[in-house]
Amino acid sequence: MSYDKGKFNKFVEDVKKAIEILRKNLNKETFLIYHDDADGITSAAILKESLKGIGIDANMVCLEKLYPQVIQDLHAKNGRIFFYVDIAAAHTEFLSKINKGRNLTIILDHHDAVPSSDPLIYNLDPELYGFSGEKDVSGATTTYLFAKCLDQSVVKLAHLAIIGSAEIPGNLSGLNKIPLNDAVKQGRVTVLKRGEKELYSIKLNGGTYTHVDLSKKLTILGSVGYYRGGPETAVKACLQGVTTEILNKIKELENERKQVNKKLLSRLRIRGLKELGDIQYFHAGDEFKGMGVKVIGTFCSYLSYQRWIKQDKYLVGFMNMQPQIPGYGELKGDFVKVSIRAPPLLKQKIERSEAAPVNVILIEACKKFSGFADGHTVAASGVIPKGTELKLINEMNKEIIKRKSVGRRGTLESFFKAA
């Protein structure tokens, strides 16, 4: 397989250490916190089933972002167990400060990560072991590898990791090949060749779909249907199958989103985007009301490929947030979701270390306004208090300018050292 066995063995060694501690605490209240896209949903389904196998019935909480209010409240009590899947790796420092050794916490993610300073927090993100979360491993694969060490019977769910990996472009490689090979052996996945390109056909409880199609369906349920039981329905679809009723619900949600996208795109095409420094931006206001905040990121991704979008400027979109967190309660305060994308030309520059990664500039800027952010080098998102949007744009431009001279020295590490 195309990955470093030494790095992988170190990862597995730490996974086994976390599992050893977990097995000594099976009677504790357990929370499974997961992201609302297909990667997070498939991760949740895999882990939910593997935990059931050892007698743990976890409380499921779907979070669009790692809201500090929610995390502080959950970690305030002693003696709980927390799993974070496809979320939280970038916020381990914050988690360490509030957990203070009170609760066993296991992070299974693939986003840019920082190590834990709390001995009871196991950040098992393969990024910390030398793998790329943008190429080698998805959140679902990380979760699958953990679950497989916990209970070998989880190989029956290997195909779910393939669905979660659909967000990673190109043929599956690196650690993602492990669940792929397992799923093929189980007869749940067929690899179809289209020249150099691979297509993954998945059998899911009676139906056959491509992994990309299933990924889109689950993400629609989880994000567009976030306030309407979508994430729970999506996890159920992973484990029990995509019924006609679920397919109809997905179609209804997708049509709803398309109508809003069409309306917003028309408005922006006519009025144009606002520009300030190296950033082009817009505010969707309440256009997406009733939908989860991931929809603004999806819209920004689509918008970044429009011909009339400036290809050398960072693309930023805002939307007003609803305060409700399904299955938890309400956030105190008014907040705005911010998403940033690199149009294709800028993306190439970032990949050549000629421009600042979007996650770096957004994370640093959000900190100035009691906000927070995470993501990848060409796509990231965050949450800030409502009313600070223009201040954030100004601060992001400062971060970009700060790194321009650094960028000419030519290494991606330099960008991060300038943070």
Side-chain angles (χ1 to χ4, degrees):
M1 287 191 184
S2 56
Y3 58 83
D4 187 308
K5 293 293 179 64
K7 293 176 181 177
F8 180 66
N9 289 340
K10 173 57 179 168
F11 166 75
V12 171
E13 181 183 327
D14 287 348
V15 165
K16 289 180 177 179
K17 287 179 183 177
I19 289 174
E20 184 179 350
I21 301 296
L22 174 65
R23 290 190 181 278
K24 294 177 181 178
N25 293 273
L26 297 182
N27 61 338
K28 292 185 177 180
E29 185 179 21
T30 301
F31 290 83
L32 198 173
I33 299 166
Y34 62 106
H35 199 208
D36 66 329
D37 64 2
D39 199 13
I41 288 163
T42 51
S43 298
I46 291 168
L47 189 59
K48 175 183 170 72
E49 284 299 289
S50 61
L51 290 177
K52 279 177 63 177
I54 60 170
I56 294 179
D57 186 14
N59 299 297
M60 308 283 284
V61 180
C62 184
L63 290 182
E64 299 178 290
K65 302 296 292 181
L66 203 74
Y67 303 112
Q69 289 181 34
V70 177
I71 305 310
Q72 286 174 328
D73 182 40
L74 290 173
H75 281 258
K77 292 185 178 179
N78 292 342
R80 288 176 164 177
I81 297 173
F82 292 97
F83 285 93
Y84 290 90
V85 295
D86 193 39
I87 195 169
H91 304 286
T92 312
E93 184 178 348
F94 168 72
L95 278 168
S96 297
K97 288 178 181 178
I98 64 167
N99 191 62
K100 298 177 181 177
R102 286 193 293 257
N103 306 286
L104 174 62
T105 301
I106 297 172
I107 299 170
L108 304 168
D109 198 358
H110 73 127
H111 296 91
D112 288 349
V114 294
S116 166
S117 59
D118 184 330
L120 272 188
I121 294 180
Y122 290 81
N123 188 350
L124 299 173
D125 187 327
E127 283 256 340
L128 295 173
Y129 298 83
F131 297 98
S132 168
E134 296 173 327
K135 297 177 182 178
D136 301 322
V137 61
S138 66
T141 289
T142 304
T143 305
Y144 174 76
L145 295 174
F146 176 89
K148 190 176 178 182
C149 286
L150 183 65
D151 180 3
Q152 277 287 324
S153 70
V154 82
V155 293
K156 65 188 178 187
L157 299 178
H159 59 287
L160 295 181
I162 309 310
I163 301 168
S165 300
E167 67 178 42
I168 297 177
N171 297 340
L172 295 186
S173 61
L175 299 184
N176 289 323
K177 295 281 281 187
I178 298 175
L180 176 61
N181 290 339
D182 287 349
V184 169
K185 290 177 183 176
Q186 292 287 312
R188 302 299 295 268
V189 172
T190 302
V191 181
L192 306 174
K193 295 285 187 177
R194 298 288 187 271
E196 293 287 322
K197 188 176 180 181
E198 292 181 354
L199 184 69
Y200 309 105
S201 177
I202 296 176
K203 293 179 182 178
L204 187 64
N205 302 77
T208 301
Y209 312 83
T210 67
H211 76 310
V212 172
D213 183 34
L214 282 170
S215 174
K216 289 178 180 177
K217 284 178 166 52
L218 293 176
T219 298
I220 290 168
L221 275 174
S223 60
V224 185
Y226 182 71
Y227 296 105
R228 289 165 273 184
E232 296 87 348
T233 301
V235 170
K236 182 179 179 181
C238 288
L239 300 174
Q240 299 179 22
V242 184
T243 64
T244 301
E245 182 182 0
I246 291 175
L247 287 173
N248 288 337
K249 184 63 176 178
I250 292 169
K251 186 176 180 180
E252 176 188 326
L253 292 169
E254 179 62 347
N255 286 337
E256 183 181 337
R257 183 178 68 173
K258 281 181 177 178
Q259 289 302 311
V260 176
N261 283 355
K262 185 178 178 181
K263 179 182 176 182
L264 183 56
L265 186 64
S266 177
R267 188 189 93 190
L268 295 177
R269 192 188 294 272
I270 294 170
R271 299 181 186 177
L273 276 66
K274 295 179 181 179
E275 293 185 38
L276 188 62
D278 290 293
I279 296 172
Q280 53 193 329
Y281 66 99
F282 68 95
H283 203 309
D286 292 318
E287 294 284 2
F288 290 108
K289 189 173 182 179
M291 304 180 198
V293 296
K294 186 174 177 61
V295 293
I296 190 67
T298 304
F299 180 78
C300 284
S301 294
Y302 172 73
L303 189 62
S304 69
Y305 287 94
Q306 299 300 301
R307 292 180 180 178
W308 48 277
I309 293 297
K310 293 191 175 177
Q311 293 294 300
D312 59 344
K313 287 181 179 283
Y314 296 85
L315 175 62
V316 175
F318 298 98
M319 71 173 277
N320 294 333
M321 287 176 49
Q322 292 179 222
Q324 296 83 13
I325 304 294
Y328 170 77
E330 287 199 7
L331 296 173
K332 296 176 182 177
D334 293 323
F335 299 95
V336 168
K337 166 76 180 292
V338 52
S339 284
I340 179 171
R341 295 293 185 271
L345 179 59
L346 181 59
K347 180 179 178 181
Q348 293 173 12
K349 289 184 177 181
I350 291 172
E351 290 172 345
R352 294 196 300 264
S353 299
E354 295 171 2
V358 302
N359 56 341
V360 175
I361 63 174
L362 185 61
I363 289 169
E364 292 304 310
C366 282
K367 287 178 182 177
K368 305 289 173 60
F369 307 103
S370 300
F372 60 95
D374 52 35
H376 298 290
T377 56
V378 296
S381 64
V383 173
I384 56 172
K386 192 173 183 179
T388 61
E389 293 93 324
L390 185 56
K391 292 179 181 179
L392 181 77
I393 294 295
N394 278 309
E395 197 60 43
M396 289 172 68
N397 269 309
K398 290 179 184 177
E399 293 295 332
I400 293 168
I401 291 169
K402 185 192 300 183
R403 287 165 175 77
K404 278 187 176 178
S405 60
V406 176
R408 285 192 288 270
R409 295 203 291 271
T411 66
L412 186 62
E413 288 77 16
S414 298
F415 283 119
F416 288 91
K417 287 177 181 177

